[in-house]
Amino acid sequence: MKSNSNIFKIGSLGIQHVLAMYAGAILVPLIVGGALGLDGEQLTYLVSIDILTSGIATLLQVYSNKFTGIGLPIMLGCTFTAVPPMISIGGEYGISSIYGSIIVSGIIVVLISTFFGKLVRFFPPVVTGSVVTIIGITLIPVAINNLAGGDQGAPDFASSQNILLGFGTLLIIILLYKFSSGFLRAISVLIGIIVGTVAAYFMGMLDFTEMTNADWFHLPKPFYFGVPTFEITPIIIMTLVAIVSLVESTGVYFALGDICDKEIKEKDLVKGYRAEGLASVIGGLFNAFPYTTFSQNVGLLQITGVKSKKVIYAAVMFLVILGLIPKMGALATIIPTSVLGGAMVAMFGMVATAGIKMLSRVNFDRQENMFIIAISIGLGLGVTVVPDLFKSLPSNLAIITNSGIVMGSLSAIFLNILFNMIPGKKKAMLEENQAKKVS
């Protein structure tokens, strides 16, 4: 009897972890697939395979062996950092190039994992904070556009129904965040999406065609969207996204180590990085996404106080089962665009505030750091608002110059090297004077 109750407890806690990351897991394929113009059947596959590969990626990270896995109770999913670059790559080079760049970037992560610790110095909080802030800010227009209905040329764009649904969903999320705590607060976005979708049903705005036509079971298909193609610019962009994700994951690893009373050693970090790289390779092969740690599940771990990996293994099982059932993936596709938009405002806003939190660790006594942030965010936001700024440049550079995230990220990296890593005249003089004092 005690054994049955223990299994039930582990299972229920596993479902909680799935629910905590589910909104993020379905939003990424819905946003990317919608931007690339995928039809209902393709979108259903994309959602289903993302859920399935999230489970596989999590398993690679939780199960520690000699080569991969940090061995902590951690969940993996697609990072929102990758969303705008994937949309840009798909628009410029085609969907096959997205997966080619994901596969290669994953391989690169596996190869550099042993010495990535030495590269971390190029990504201090002034860089990662700027990058994540830019990502959040540049995603907000996407959220607002979806809140209004998604297609600006459609007759119902910014209609009263869409506005009511979008802001209604956002209001539900806000109220839940204010008046609930613990697990309910952790899944406030998911509840908001469910309530908004139910409201849309009573307004006659749901179309169940894709869900009705979807199969009950399918197996993942390698290269579902065609054989990957490999272009140098998309590979560079996705590798940059992967490195930023690794920097974020490093912080999550150490936070989890503190929670679980486990000392995180260099070999643990290396295995964690390899697991993320391998997960991205698998995501690319099955036409899913690059994968990284989900920090919202770390919060849930603190809320429940349960640190057992058995709970995460249970969550993996649920994710794999859900991913093998296309009808569950199709269920996500019926969510109205305006409801998704309301949820996106909250989630993308939280991405921006996560970046601001990272920037709070920056030493602002050094005016150079303020300058780095100012220029990086200014260029990132500026290129997003005026994407034709560099239209006279060669087309193969357009995907870099047209992306606010890429421009802002490269600016932050370059300026940090210039101001904080290359000794300037003032810094050299101070070091020389200090050396004289010592001698």
Side-chain angles (χ1 to χ4, degrees):
M1 194 74 177
K2 186 178 180 180
S3 175
N4 289 337
S5 63
N6 192 41
I7 292 172
F8 177 78
K9 180 181 178 182
I10 290 172
S12 60
L13 289 169
I15 291 172
Q16 284 188 349
H17 273 285
V18 171
L19 292 175
M21 58 89 69
Y22 198 75
I26 64 172
L27 274 176
V28 171
L30 290 177
I31 296 167
V32 175
L36 297 178
L38 301 186
D39 61 35
E41 183 180 346
Q42 292 172 324
L43 205 54
T44 295
Y45 175 83
L46 197 61
V47 173
S48 298
I49 198 64
D50 181 38
I51 295 169
L52 175 63
T53 45
S54 290
I56 295 171
T58 299
L59 182 62
L60 285 171
Q61 195 64 281
V62 178
Y63 177 71
S64 180
N65 54 62
K66 289 183 179 180
F67 186 72
T68 62
I70 198 164
L72 292 170
I74 196 168
M75 297 287 291
L76 271 69
C78 180
T79 172
F80 278 107
T81 311
V83 171
M86 284 191 292
I87 293 172
S88 297
I89 292 169
E92 185 73 19
Y93 292 91
I95 194 169
S96 61
S97 187
I98 295 176
Y99 296 111
S101 62
I102 290 173
I103 291 168
V104 175
S105 66
I107 293 170
I108 290 171
V109 167
V110 172
L111 293 176
I112 69 171
S113 59
T114 52
F115 58 90
F116 181 72
K118 295 179 178 63
L119 298 178
V120 170
R121 67 194 187 100
F122 291 98
F123 297 89
V126 69
V127 173
T128 55
S130 297
V131 171
V132 176
T133 302
I134 292 165
I135 290 166
I137 292 173
T138 55
L139 282 172
I140 293 296
V142 176
I144 296 298
N145 186 69
N146 280 323
L147 187 149
D151 183 2
Q152 294 190 19
D156 65 342
F157 184 80
S159 66
S160 57
Q161 282 186 318
N162 283 332
I163 298 299
L164 182 63
L165 272 180
F167 279 104
T169 301
L170 181 59
L171 181 61
I172 293 294
I173 296 169
I174 292 169
L175 292 176
L176 277 169
Y177 212 82
K178 168 64 178 175
F179 296 108
S180 66
S181 60
F183 177 60
L184 273 179
R185 173 179 276 198
I187 64 168
S188 57
V189 173
L190 181 63
I191 294 174
I193 290 173
I194 292 171
V195 172
T197 304
V198 171
Y201 170 77
F202 287 107
M203 295 167 70
M205 296 177 65
L206 298 191
D207 182 1
F208 293 93
T209 305
E210 292 301 331
M211 187 177 170
T212 304
N213 294 337
D215 296 328
W216 279 103
F217 178 80
H218 75 153
L219 290 173
K221 301 174 184 176
F223 311 132
Y224 178 86
F225 292 108
V227 178
T229 54
F230 304 94
E231 305 280 351
I232 186 65
T233 304
I235 288 170
I236 292 171
I237 292 170
M238 290 309 299
T239 301
L240 178 63
V241 168
I243 290 174
V244 171
S245 295
L246 287 185
V247 175
E248 291 182 61
S249 292
T250 303
V252 175
Y253 296 155
F254 282 110
L256 269 174
D258 289 338
I259 294 170
C260 299
D261 299 317
K262 177 183 176 179
E263 182 185 356
I264 305 299
K265 299 178 181 178
E266 184 178 342
K267 64 177 183 179
D268 297 315
L269 291 175
V270 171
K271 290 195 293 182
Y273 299 149
R274 282 180 187 154
E276 287 199 25
L278 189 56
S280 292
V281 172
I282 292 171
L285 291 174
F286 287 98
N287 292 167
F289 300 101
Y291 291 96
T292 189
T293 54
F294 260 26
S295 56
Q296 55 261 54
N297 291 91
V298 178
L300 184 58
L301 204 73
Q302 290 176 305
I303 290 166
T304 62
V306 179
K307 307 166 189 176
S308 172
K309 289 193 288 185
K310 291 180 181 178
V311 172
I312 307 300
Y313 287 133
V316 167
M317 181 185 71
F318 290 126
L319 285 171
V320 170
I321 292 172
L322 288 171
L324 292 173
I325 304 173
K327 281 196 182 294
M328 295 304 300
L331 183 62
T333 67
I334 71 170
I335 302 169
T337 305
S338 53
V339 171
L340 288 174
M344 287 176 197
V345 171
M347 294 196 74
F348 295 164
M350 288 298 286
V351 172
T353 54
I356 293 168
K357 185 179 179 181
M358 291 178 185
L359 291 175
S360 68
R361 301 197 297 270
V362 174
N363 178 14
F364 285 108
D365 290 336
R366 281 182 54 81
Q367 291 188 345
E368 291 89 342
N369 285 332
M370 296 177 68
F371 190 76
I372 292 168
I373 296 165
I375 299 299
S376 302
I377 293 179
L379 283 175
L381 188 58
V383 171
T384 301
V385 175
V386 188
D388 292 333
L389 179 64
F390 298 103
K391 66 180 182 180
S392 60
L393 293 180
S395 59
N396 60 344
L397 292 176
I399 196 162
I400 295 177
T401 55
N402 288 359
S403 170
I405 293 173
V406 177
M407 280 293 293
S409 300
L410 293 177
S411 299
I413 294 167
F414 171 75
L415 292 173
N416 177 63
I417 293 171
L418 181 65
F419 287 109
N420 291 332
M421 301 181 75
I422 298 176
K425 184 177 180 182
K426 183 179 178 181
K427 186 176 180 181
M429 288 176 63
L430 287 172
E431 289 176 350
E432 185 180 342
N433 292 334
Q434 191 174 12
K436 287 179 179 178
K437 287 179 183 179
V438 172
S439 62

